[in-house]
Amino acid sequence: MLTPGFVIAVAAFYLGLLFALAFFTDRLAAVGRAGLISSPLVYTLSLTVYCTSWTFFGAVGSAARNGAEFAAIYLGPTLVFVGAYFILRKLVRISKTHRITSIADFISSRYGKSTRVAVIVTVIALAGTTPYIALQLKAVSTSLDTLTLGAARITSEAGSVFGDTAFWVAATMAAFVIIFGTRNIGADEHHPGVVAAIAFESLVKLAALLAVGIFVVFVLKGSGEFNGPLWLDPALRDTPPFSGSDPARWTTLMLLSAAAIICLPRQFQVTVVEATDERHLYMASWLFPLYVLLISIFTVPIAAAGLGLLGEGSNPDLFVLTVPLHAGHEWLALVAFLGGLSSATSMVIVACIAVSIMISNHMVMPLLLRSRWLNLDKRGDLTGLLLTVRRLAIVLILSLGFLYYRVSARSDALAAIGLISFAGASQFLPSIIGGIYWRGGTERGALTGLLCGFGMWVYTLLVPNIVRAGLLPADLLSEGPFGIAALKPESLLYLEGWDPVVHAIFWSLASNMLAYVLVSIFTSVRPLEGLQGALFVNAYQRRPDEQSRAWSGNTALEDLMALPRRIIGGDRAYRLFRDYAHGQGRTIPELVVDAALIAFVERELAGSIGAASARVLVSRVAGGETVSLDELITILDETQQAIEYGRRLEQKSSELEATAAQLREANSRLKEIDTMKDDFLSHVSHELRTPMTSIRSFAEVLLEPSALSDDKRDRFVGIIYEESKRLTRLLDEILDLNRLESGREVLTLERVGAARVAHDAVAAMLGFAHQRGIALEERLPAGDLAVMADPDRLKQVLINLIHNAIKFTAGKGARVVISVVRRGDWVALAVEDEGPGIAPSDMPQLFEKFSRRSSGGEGSGLGLVISRQIIEHHRGRIEVRSRRPRGTLFEVLLPAAPALEAAGPATAARLEA
Amino acid sequence: MKGPRIVEAAFVLPWLGVALLTPPVTFIVNAAAREAGVPLFVPYLFVVWALLILAAWALSRRLREIDRNAAENSSAPMDQARLDERS
């Protein structure tokens, strides 16, 4: 029997070897000489962290209990790796492009960098990993006890925590992970020392298992009547190791293990995050399946030999150890122990790193950054804080694992933990596969799916396990919660008689997928989700060498400046940075890219392209984000084009609108004019008709052969003559107006004296006035006032005004006053009567065609219109002032002609000066 | 086999493995084992397993070549991408 001291010394020596290996690898990597570490061989070996102590010892146990089932755990991953060219390559490609740091980061990045998704993934990962770590601790301590004491002690006998082997194992692991897993914060979380140690351990565990297997197959002979190899004893022919497997469980386990090789946090860490080159997958696609084939090739012989050698009653989970031990080969047993130790430690190390990164990046840091009183977003360097958080997270994870182990070690609940953990991790599968092949998956879909799957997993698998560990009342399983049989965790909705794992996988994955797909379909894709979805789904559309980009402080500033230039234009961007630099008392080249500058740029950009896009843009340039610069430029250019196009459209449409408004205006004007024309025509025909009618009727009377006195005949002829004169005058006036309005009539303006023209007009009207008994009174200035006018036309206007004045002034002895005065630059010719005045209601129509003042009976109604036309052609105006009940004043205002005498010398003076 | 055919074969291989390693094919193997009275199931698994590894090894060499050529020709490996959308 090996002494405990000796075994512990060997184990310590082995772990020391791991420390040294990791240490020197890190040293070599730091100077860039760890070429072997970035080889595909080491990459593939590190993937075998999949083979934990659960599989190292447990595969044989599984074969001894359930037959071929052990192989399903390896065949699922084999199929995934044989098809590595598809899913795995895409995952690695995306993760390299987007600098993914963990599986939580991957899923949350895909769904619009959602913090909520990252948190739920981290919680699931922690819930699935902790019991699994407990399982590893149990495996190590049990195997150690078996090796040294010949039987496994149960924890209560182990006494205090410090007397517990598992405690020291956990403490050593914590030290290892803290030293090599949290040395620094890399942009992409590479840990060369850890990878080297894991690769080395994978060789140790394979060698150990092969050694035991070869011993069983070639050395161990039957002792009874059968003297061939023990495992081929016909008596064992009907034992489980040689049987097939339950088909439902077999298929479920294949699916589960295929999902686990992608989704287990530690597996994602080594396969995707730690990958240095996606071409390593070419070798991994066949070497990893070959490794797991080799590690399981002796499983059946060892299981059969164990059954033959130790009998049914022994613990098949320790056959790997107990078979050589029982056969008297203690050294071989020691090798097997070291193999188991390797499997356990490598799993614990990688799982701790993976989950601690998630806890620090997605749970602790967002909280710390958000809390005001810490003011972390203003502090420059957060690296130290981040590392401390990770170290604490590692201690927490291992403490939880140890606690779970202490609590449940007495029961056999831990044996089932392996599959429970797989089932927990497989809840990530719908979100991942949907995320990289379906652009329609949304954050809320992923969140709902994950929560449903997680809830189902906890209820149907984890809760029963906790019950078996003795932490919850047992009647929960047998009676259901509150005695509701339909809710029994292991036969939900009366799904009786199913294997618990198959049952749980059905409920959790079905609800997960259904929720993910349905909620995604019924929610809209937000911009950032859409962008990330497109980048993830179309991951192959860019070339790998274009994505990697080395930053220096200098290029970062340039890139940061290039962004606004693209969006808001060169000049504005330049001014923006100049003003910002001014505010800091620097020039632009002296600017330092710090959080403040980045926030400033993002804020400025958000005004142009929206906050979400600005965030993506700036965070990419600022480093460690998901979209490459080239891509962004493309997006930007597209946005720019869209904006430009939109602006042009807007311009076009406003132009169109203006044109339409003009057209509408012109159209209504046309209609108005058309109506006016119709009115005019009907007026004209009415005006023409009245004299025509009287002419015709008098002519008819004259034509009748009746006896008319000559006196009467003469009077009738006289009327006909007067009426035709009026007709002619009307037609003349219409023609006149037409000429004036159409602008065909060109007035010849000359320098005339206003008083002279007024005097002529008065002279012309003297007869008519006398006839009406009206006195015409002239008030003319002494020296004449010169205006530029057509004298005949001006006289015509005055005659018309005087005629009207006489006409509307009733009663004999009344006066009409004609005056000419100068008013500033204007010369006013006024005609004032003593008539009844004009009613205010008549004023607006005064200058319209055919509008006669209500009191007036005759006249064409065109006189004032023509007058106004004429005066307007003189650039003058006519004003009316009516003082009811007596008197109306018409005033013609004409611009005064420049003084003749003054013009000459003034011009001369100007010329001389 | 030409380039696109290799990619298609690589796509088919894991699904062929799935078909060979799940019911109903495993039922047939189990039934045959019962008839013969020999525990055939586990050896069958290992044979399929080994053949899958062999095929993956052969394919990975070709795929590596295809990708290297594609990188040199700097034309995007559209066939993979398209096939990838289907998987």
Side-chain angles (χ1 to χ4, degrees):
Chain A
M1 184 68 36
L2 296 165
T3 63
F6 176 71
V7 176
I8 288 171
V10 171
F13 173 75
Y14 174 75
L15 292 176
L17 201 64
L18 281 188
F19 273 74
L21 181 64
F23 179 72
F24 284 111
T25 310
D26 269 354
R27 283 278 294 272
L28 282 178
V31 293
R33 282 174 52 203
L36 186 66
I37 296 307
S38 47
S39 72
L41 180 68
V42 170
Y43 171 72
T44 309
L45 287 177
S46 74
L47 299 182
T48 62
V49 70
Y50 180 76
C51 305
T52 64
S53 67
W54 176 58
T55 45
F56 186 88
F57 293 118
V60 171
S62 169
R65 274 189 287 254
N66 300 324
E69 193 178 291
F70 74 93
I73 298 297
Y74 293 116
L75 282 172
T78 296
L79 292 174
V80 171
F81 268 86
V82 164
Y85 194 69
F86 298 96
I87 295 177
L88 288 179
R89 196 172 68 115
K90 192 161 188 176
L91 290 179
V92 172
R93 173 74 65 90
I94 292 169
S95 299
K96 293 303 111 185
T97 313
H98 297 235
R99 308 263 162 88
I100 296 297
T101 59
S102 65
I103 190 166
D105 193 23
F106 185 93
I107 299 178
S108 98
S109 276
R110 162 61 183 83
Y111 298 103
K113 308 181 183 187
S114 159
T115 313
R116 292 182 295 174
V117 170
V119 168
I120 178 75
V121 171
T122 307
V123 168
I124 297 175
L126 187 61
T129 305
T130 306
Y132 207 98
I133 289 175
L135 179 64
Q136 307 302 313
L137 296 177
K138 180 177 173 169
V140 172
S141 65
T142 314
S143 59
L144 183 61
D145 292 344
T146 306
L147 194 60
T148 55
L149 305 173
R153 291 180 305 176
I154 53 176
T155 316
S156 56
E157 293 165 18
S160 71
V161 169
F162 297 106
D164 196 333
T165 323
F167 174 78
W168 296 105
V169 174
T172 316
M173 288 304 96
F176 185 92
V177 181
I178 286 173
I179 291 173
F180 297 105
T182 62
R183 299 193 75 144
N184 48 34
I185 306 284
D188 30 20
E189 299 298 346
H190 284 303
H191 305 92
V194 173
V195 170
I198 303 303
F200 172 71
E201 293 199 290
S202 72
L203 289 177
V204 170
K205 63 195 177 194
L206 179 63
L209 211 53
L210 285 180
V212 175
I214 288 167
F215 165 75
V216 166
V217 170
F218 296 107
V219 181
L220 201 61
K221 299 288 180 200
S223 50
E225 61 267 31
F226 180 73
N227 56 2
L230 175 64
W231 70 287
L232 287 177
D233 193 336
L236 297 168
R237 186 61 59 82
D238 292 326
T239 54
F242 297 101
S243 71
S245 167
D246 168 47
R249 216 174 129 85
W250 169 262
T251 314
T252 306
L253 288 191
M254 285 236 305
L255 171 72
L256 207 52
S257 57
I261 197 74
I262 300 170
C263 300
L264 277 174
R266 65 168 192 277
Q267 217 54 48
F268 193 88
Q269 179 77 25
V270 288
T271 314
V272 178
V273 178
E274 302 274 0
T276 49
D277 189 337
E278 88 179 34
R279 282 170 295 183
H280 290 353
L281 281 173
Y282 292 124
M283 185 187 267
S285 74
W286 59 270
L287 190 57
F288 178 78
L290 183 62
Y291 182 98
V292 292
L293 180 134
L294 289 178
I295 212 165
S296 52
I297 201 161
F298 292 120
T299 304
V300 169
I302 295 173
L307 288 177
L309 202 61
L310 299 157
E312 302 274 345
S314 56
N315 181 4
D317 282 334
L318 287 172
F319 278 173
V320 176
L321 205 60
T322 47
V323 166
L325 208 57
H326 199 263
H329 289 74
E330 290 184 335
W331 286 95
L332 191 59
L334 187 63
V335 169
F337 165 73
L338 284 182
L341 183 66
S342 296
S343 323
T345 52
S346 58
M347 180 272 159
V348 172
I349 289 167
V350 180
C352 278
I353 290 177
V355 180
S356 73
I357 288 175
M358 287 192 226
I359 290 177
S360 75
N361 283 9
H362 303 303
M363 290 179 86
V364 180
M365 286 317 278
L367 283 178
L368 288 182
L369 284 173
R370 265 173 216 184
S371 66
R372 292 249 172 83
W373 55 274
L374 275 175
N375 244 349
L376 281 182
D377 45 346
K378 301 223 169 50
R379 257 166 60 175
D381 190 14
L382 294 178
T383 320
L385 182 67
L386 205 54
L387 287 178
T388 311
V389 168
R390 278 195 195 166
R391 284 167 189 153
L392 290 176
I394 288 162
V395 173
L396 172 85
I397 296 162
L398 278 168
S399 305
L400 282 176
F402 181 69
L403 196 70
Y404 200 90
Y405 154 76
R406 288 283 288 192
V407 168
S408 62
R410 214 183 310 222
S411 70
D412 58 355
L414 273 183
I417 281 291
L419 283 180
I420 294 177
S421 182
F422 276 28
S426 70
Q427 301 309 320
F428 303 143
L429 195 66
S431 299
I432 291 180
I433 299 300
I436 62 173
Y437 291 111
W438 182 38
R439 286 176 67 163
T442 67
E443 183 205 352
R444 269 175 284 177
L447 212 56
T448 326
L450 284 170
L451 283 173
C452 285
F454 179 55
M456 279 294 171
W457 170 75
V458 167
Y459 192 67
T460 57
L461 269 186
L462 201 60
V463 166
N465 189 260
I466 292 172
V467 169
R468 292 206 175 89
L471 297 178
L472 285 170
D475 60 354
L476 190 68
L477 291 188
S478 51
E479 308 295 326
F482 313 111
I484 305 169
L487 293 181
K488 278 195 280 184
E490 290 185 318
S491 52
L492 209 55
L493 296 183
Y494 308 106
L495 212 56
E496 306 272 357
W498 280 40
D499 179 85
V501 173
V502 180
H503 173 263
I505 281 297
F506 165 72
W507 281 113
S508 61
L509 275 186
S511 61
N512 187 337
M513 282 191 282
L514 201 67
Y516 170 65
V517 172
L518 286 185
V519 175
S520 288
I521 286 174
F522 287 108
T523 51
S524 56
V525 181
R526 280 175 299 192
L528 194 53
E529 289 170 46
L531 175 66
Q532 294 292 89
L535 292 177
F536 274 50
V537 172
N538 303 326
Y540 288 127
Q541 284 181 5
R542 287 168 308 111
R543 313 206 51 71
D545 39 316
E546 286 167 8
Q547 296 150 11
S548 55
R549 187 184 174 93
W551 297 114
S552 70
N554 215 4
T555 52
L557 179 63
E558 278 169 14
D559 288 330
L560 201 59
M561 289 178 66
L563 276 182
R565 218 177 288 149
R566 286 252 166 193
I567 300 169
I568 59 176
D571 283 352
R572 234 180 94 196
Y574 171 73
R575 265 180 283 136
L576 213 64
F577 279 98
R578 191 196 53 197
D579 294 347
Y580 181 82
H582 257 294
Q584 297 201 323
R586 298 179 185 172
T587 61
I588 289 180
E590 289 172 330
L591 276 179
V592 179
V593 178
D594 54 12
L597 179 60
I598 290 166
F600 169 74
V601 171
E602 184 173 333
R603 212 171 42 240
E604 291 299 326
L605 290 186
S608 300
I609 50 170
S613 312
R615 177 174 147 220
V616 186
L617 286 177
V618 173
S619 47
R620 178 53 192 165
V621 173
E625 277 286 347
T626 49
V627 194
S628 87
L629 195 68
D630 294 331
E631 229 157 32
L632 278 181
I633 298 305
T634 321
I635 295 165
L636 271 190
D637 285 343
E638 280 168 8
T639 316
Q640 186 72 8
Q641 276 169 13
I643 292 172
E644 180 68 20
Y645 183 63
R647 220 183 49 211
R648 258 187 252 148
L649 265 185
E650 211 172 289
Q651 202 178 329
K652 279 259 163 64
S653 79
S654 70
E655 274 171 19
L656 271 179
E657 223 165 87
T659 316
Q662 282 172 1
L663 274 177
R664 263 198 303 277
E665 205 176 302
N667 193 33
S668 68
R669 177 101 189 99
L670 271 177
K671 273 185 189 158
E672 206 177 298
I673 290 172
D674 190 48
T675 324
M676 276 163 69
K677 186 202 71 188
D678 288 347
D679 286 354
F680 183 70
L681 278 177
S682 74
H683 269 299
V684 167
S685 34
H686 178 73
E687 293 296 327
L688 294 177
R689 208 189 148 144
T690 323
M692 287 294 270
T693 314
S694 78
I695 291 170
R696 202 189 63 211
S697 47
F698 283 112
E700 269 170 12
V701 173
L702 289 176
L703 282 176
E704 265 174 28
S706 61
L708 265 178
S709 66
D710 282 355
D711 196 27
K712 248 187 185 167
R713 187 179 295 267
D714 286 350
R715 226 182 74 214
F716 286 176
V717 171
I719 290 173
I720 292 178
Y721 172 68
E722 283 300 321
E723 287 297 311
S724 39
K725 250 178 41 186
R726 203 175 119 196
L727 208 53
T728 316
R729 198 169 62 239
L730 187 63
L731 287 172
D732 282 345
E733 282 183 349
I734 290 172
L735 287 175
D736 200 12
L737 187 63
N738 183 249
R739 270 205 304 279
L740 284 168
E741 279 191 336
S742 67
R744 262 178 294 152
E745 167 98 2
V746 181
L747 300 180
T748 48
L749 300 185
E750 54 188 76
R751 191 184 179 86
V752 290
R756 248 202 56 152
V757 177
H759 182 73
D760 287 354
V762 169
M765 291 312 287
L766 273 175
F768 182 56
H770 182 72
Q771 196 183 332
R772 292 285 188 111
I774 306 276
L776 291 183
E777 189 182 324
E778 286 178 61
R779 289 179 194 164
L780 302 178
D784 208 345
L785 292 170
V787 291
M788 295 301 291
D790 183 325
D792 292 342
R793 282 300 193 174
L794 185 55
K795 194 168 130 192
Q796 182 192 346
V797 170
L798 286 175
I799 286 173
N800 183 260
L801 290 177
I802 296 165
H803 185 268
N804 281 348
I806 293 167
K807 207 166 66 187
F808 288 106
T809 306
K812 293 201 184 290
R815 293 180 311 159
V816 168
V817 180
I818 294 99
S819 60
V820 173
V821 291
R822 187 174 180 120
R823 276 204 203 125
D825 289 340
W826 298 89
V827 173
L829 300 95
V831 177
E832 195 176 359
D833 63 40
E834 293 176 344
I838 302 164
S841 58
D842 285 341
M843 282 295 222
Q845 292 101 43
L846 204 58
F847 290 98
E848 280 184 13
K849 289 157 193 162
F850 305 111
S851 80
R852 289 190 200 88
R853 272 186 271 172
S854 36
S855 51
E858 38 179 321
S860 64
L862 287 175
L864 276 179
V865 187
I866 292 172
S867 299
R868 196 174 66 162
Q869 284 285 341
I870 290 170
I871 297 304
E872 278 173 2
H873 275 79
H874 283 86
R875 297 201 183 80
R877 59 180 193 271
I878 297 186
E879 286 179 0
V880 190
R881 278 193 293 277
S882 178
R883 289 186 295 270
R884 271 179 88 86
R886 272 189 98 66
T888 309
L889 175 78
F890 278 88
E891 199 170 61
V892 173
L893 288 159
L894 289 175
L900 264 185
E901 304 85 348
T907 319
R910 268 205 299 279
L911 283 172
E912 279 163 22
Chain B
M1 279 196 285
K2 288 265 170 68
R5 288 270 173 262
I6 297 286
V7 177
E8 281 162 18
F11 181 72
V12 165
L13 184 63
W15 295 110
L16 184 70
V18 170
L20 289 176
L21 295 172
T22 49
V25 173
T26 49
F27 287 160
I28 298 171
V29 177
N30 267 334
R34 250 195 325 273
E35 288 297 310
V38 194
L40 261 182
F41 188 65
V42 174
Y44 167 79
L45 289 184
F46 277 90
V47 168
V48 172
W49 201 338
L51 289 178
L52 280 175
I53 291 167
L54 209 62
W57 172 74
L59 278 174
S60 77
R61 293 165 59 96
R62 305 282 190 88
L63 287 172
R64 198 200 313 247
E65 237 165 73
I66 290 171
D67 278 5
R68 198 181 293 140
N69 291 341
E72 277 164 12
N73 299 340
S74 75
S75 62
M78 281 307 291
D79 295 307
Q80 304 159 28
R82 220 177 302 133
L83 202 72
D84 196 78
E85 300 301 313
R86 264 188 274 147
S87 62

